[in-house]
Structures are given as structure tokens and as C-alpha cells.
Amino acid sequence: MKALITGITGFVGKHLESFLRDKADVYGTSRSNRSKNHIFEVDLLSETKVTRLIEEIKPTHIFHLAGLSNVKDSWKQKADFIQANVIGTIHLLEAVRKVDNKIKVMTVGSSEEYGRIQGELDKVIEETALHPVSPYGISKCAVSMLVSLYHRSYGLNVVHARPFNHIGPGQRLGFVTSDFAYQIALINKGRIDDPILRIGNLKTARDFTDVRDIVEAYYNIACFGIAGEAYNVCTGQGVYIQDILEKFLSYSNKKIELVVDPSKIRVAEVPKLVGGPEKLYKLTGWKPKRKLDDTLKDIYDYWINN
Ligand code: GDD
């Protein structure tokens, strides 16, 4: 495998790079950071630059990770999210179409594509109708529709991963597990005087997978995924944010006061997002290996040490 990872310096990109180290020649793009020889400074908003890069590298597989991923931020930066996620993907798919439409491309979507679930559905599967409720969800829906379009119309060898929440050490602030663990770690390190933890909505439920399992799923999807298809990447287990918070609080040696921060409450959000992982399991045998409690502890330890 000769792999090109767009967004290689991001949270998932770094984990994917280390997973692929003994399986592939790895190259990557980054918008700003060209610290190593195999990383190219390319913004996907330039179709010309992406095309030249693909001509030069001639990858067999592309993992398209670049894009904006913070659901809450998407309410403030609607146009930026459409630019980065939708226009960026169009440029990449156009480049592949022109250079070599046999390159296997894996795009990354999101469970946010499903959005508002109709009826009493317990778990969303790939056939569940898409009703996004955030600008970010809309941008990722567009990506999944582009995958179908480029496959049907141009025969592109492109598959779509639909990951649910992925977490782990090194994820930046702005995502719930990092936000909680960071603040609790700061309090325990004695770095802030008031032991106050600012929280958002604790009543939602999400399906959490360790990023190190997610990148293994991406590898399987890129190798075995059927062109034009989408695959959920998830555990099938829903966890309330309240329970995540309680787990982190159990690591604390100090008593902590909880304060709801109105700026963390979203204009709209999905109360419960749990996925059915069976389609990917049937195709590849992929299952998450890590336990949620171990991942949460790793995240807490990361913030204690950083
Ligand atoms: N970020 C954050 N910070 N969320 C909080 C907080 C807080 O302090 N307190 C409560 N929440 C709630 C949010 O309101 C949401 O219901 C839930 O925790 C998860 O929030 P995020 O971690 O920001 O994730 P997300 O579900 O909105 O989106 C993530 O998962 C998607 C896949 O399901 C992101 O990683 C997306 O990029 C990804 O596609």
C-alpha cells in the first residue's frame, strides 16, 4: 500500500500514520505544518495543488481525513465548514478522477449525518435516513452524497466511513472527554484556584470508540470496503455524558463544583446517537478492542502529563 493521508497532522491522522507504519509507505498533507519530508503543505481548497500532489505521489490508497470536525464550532463558522469539508472533498475527488480513478479513496463522514432519528430506532444503521441537525452534519451528508455521485457517475473507487464519537489521548479541547479531563487534571495539578468544572449538556448519549480502534477500522474499510458504500464505525453501545463525567470525577482527589456553562449549550443537538456496527463487522471482522474505561483513563493521564 502507498497511502496518502489528508490531514495527517490532526488527531486521527497521527494515530493512522503510526498504525500504517509497518503496512504502507505513508505520505500526508497538512495545511500549515511541513515538519517532515513525507508531509506536503497542501490546502485542499486548491484543486491544482491536490492534483499535482496525487500525480507526484501516485498513491494506491487515499485516507481523506482533512476537514473541520467540531460540531459546536460549525454553528459559528457555517461557510468555513462547507468550504473545508465539501469543497475540499470535491477538489480531492476531481483530482483522483483526472489522475487515476482506480485509486482507492476513503472519505470520513460522521454519525452527525443521521441527525434527528425518526421513531424509536435504537441504533442507526447505514440505511437509516439522513436528517442532520448541525451545519457540520450537513457538510458530512454532502460528503457521503458526493461519494455515491462520483462512484455512480465516474466509477471512482471511493468508500465512505461514518465514525461515531472517537476519543483518545491527544485529542484537542472542544470535544467532551478532553474538555472534562483537562479541567479535572488542572484542578488536581493545583494549577487553578477554584475547583470548578464547566460543563455543557449531560443528558445526551453517544457511542464512543478509542481512536486507535477507529484507525484500524479505516484501514479495513480502505482495503475491503465496497465502492459507493458507507460503513458505520462504532461500538453499538450508548453512554450518557453524565456517566462519562462521573468516571472522570472518580479520578479526582479534590472535590469539584460543577457549573453549567451556557456557551457550551448548542443551538440544537441529537439527544442519542448510537450506531449499528454489523455491516463493517460482516465485511471485515472489525470490532473495537479497547474498553471505554481504559480509554478514559488514558485521556486523563494524558492531561495530567501535558
Ligand atoms: N465538547 C463538549 N464539551 N461537549 C459537551 C460538554 C463539554 O464541556 N459538556 C457536555 N457536552 C455534550 C455535547 O453537548 C454533546 O451532546 C456531547 O457532549 C458530545 O460532544 P462532543 O464531544 O463535542 O462530540 P459531538 O458528538 O458533538 O461530535 C463528535 O462526534 C462526531 C461523531 O459522532 C465530533 O468528534 C465529530 O467530529 C464527530 O463526527
Side-chain angles (χ1 to χ4, degrees):
M1 177 185 279
K2 194 172 192 187
L4 174 65
I5 304 173
T6 70
I8 195 168
T9 53
F11 167 56
V12 184
K14 283 184 193 139
H15 283 283
L16 181 60
E17 180 179 0
S18 52
F19 177 79
L20 289 179
R21 201 163 286 146
D22 57 353
K23 297 175 182 61
D25 279 346
V26 181
Y27 299 86
T29 71
S30 165
R31 267 188 311 179
S32 52
N33 179 337
R34 202 201 153 168
S35 47
K36 297 178 188 144
N37 284 340
H38 67 293
I39 301 181
F40 296 83
E41 194 177 314
V42 171
D43 188 329
L44 296 189
L45 293 182
S46 164
E47 190 186 320
T48 316
K49 283 192 184 163
V50 188
T51 308
R52 272 198 219 122
L53 181 73
I54 294 175
E55 275 167 348
E56 191 183 326
I57 294 177
K58 297 189 175 53
T60 58
H61 293 74
I62 299 178
F63 295 86
H64 178 34
L65 269 45
L68 297 176
S69 61
N70 189 296
V71 179
K72 188 173 151 281
D73 289 352
S74 76
W75 288 97
K76 282 181 271 163
Q77 300 166 251
K78 300 175 184 79
D80 293 341
F81 273 69
I82 297 298
Q83 281 268 347
N85 295 351
V86 185
I87 308 297
T89 301
I90 291 178
H91 289 164
L92 178 76
L93 296 178
E94 277 298 303
V96 170
R97 179 174 81 81
K98 287 175 192 156
V99 177
D100 175 3
N101 77 351
K102 287 187 290 302
I103 297 170
K104 186 83 174 268
V105 182
M106 191 210 71
T107 55
V108 176
S110 167
S111 56
E112 277 284 310
E113 291 174 48
Y114 295 113
R116 184 170 35 84
I117 315 298
Q118 307 283 324
E120 289 302 302
L121 249 188
D122 215 24
K123 290 180 191 173
V124 287
I125 58 168
E126 291 78 356
E127 286 72 30
T128 305
L130 307 178
H131 293 291
V133 297
S134 64
Y136 169 77
I138 290 174
S139 75
K140 290 295 185 179
C141 268
V143 172
S144 79
M145 289 170 185
L146 286 165
V147 167
S148 308
L149 183 82
Y150 273 78
H151 171 63
R152 275 189 278 108
S153 314
Y154 300 116
L156 241 66
N157 196 1
V158 55
V159 288
H160 188 64
R162 217 170 257 156
F164 287 59
N165 296 58
H166 35 301
I167 57 172
Q171 187 171 35
R172 67 180 170 82
L173 297 176
F175 299 92
V176 69
T177 54
S178 295
D179 283 354
F180 289 172
Y182 168 74
Q183 295 178 77
I184 298 171
L186 274 190
I187 292 167
N188 278 277
K189 291 195 280 187
R191 298 267 177 85
I192 37 180
D193 297 334
D194 298 331
I196 290 174
L197 172 60
R198 291 177 205 288
I199 52 169
N201 183 359
L202 301 181
K203 295 202 168 70
T204 51
R206 293 288 184 269
D207 181 333
F208 291 94
T209 304
D210 190 297
V211 66
R212 293 161 286 191
D213 284 324
I214 291 272
V215 296
E216 199 173 327
Y218 286 176
Y219 176 70
N220 278 287
I221 293 172
C223 290
F224 307 113
I226 295 164
E229 297 281 319
Y231 297 91
N232 282 349
V233 185
C234 53
T235 67
Q237 304 295 320
V239 181
Y240 283 98
I241 303 304
Q242 173 85 47
D243 296 334
I244 297 279
L245 174 63
E246 273 161 23
K247 190 79 212 172
F248 281 129
L249 287 173
S250 74
Y251 306 141
S252 177
N253 295 318
K254 299 198 177 165
K255 205 168 153 28
I256 292 178
E257 187 190 338
L258 304 180
V259 172
V260 176
D261 179 344
S263 75
K264 291 188 174 214
I265 305 294
R266 298 171 189 187
V267 180
E269 72 172 337
V270 192
K272 182 182 175 199
L273 259 180
V274 183
E278 288 76 17
K279 184 176 175 184
L280 181 59
Y281 178 69
K282 275 190 197 132
L283 182 81
T284 67
W286 176 86
K287 263 187 185 178
K289 296 188 185 109
R290 291 172 173 83
K291 292 197 176 70
L292 179 61
D293 282 2
D294 296 340
T295 303
L296 297 179
K297 186 67 171 57
D298 284 352
I299 295 169
Y300 183 70
D301 290 344
Y302 171 85
W303 286 113
I304 284 286
N305 296 317
N306 285 280

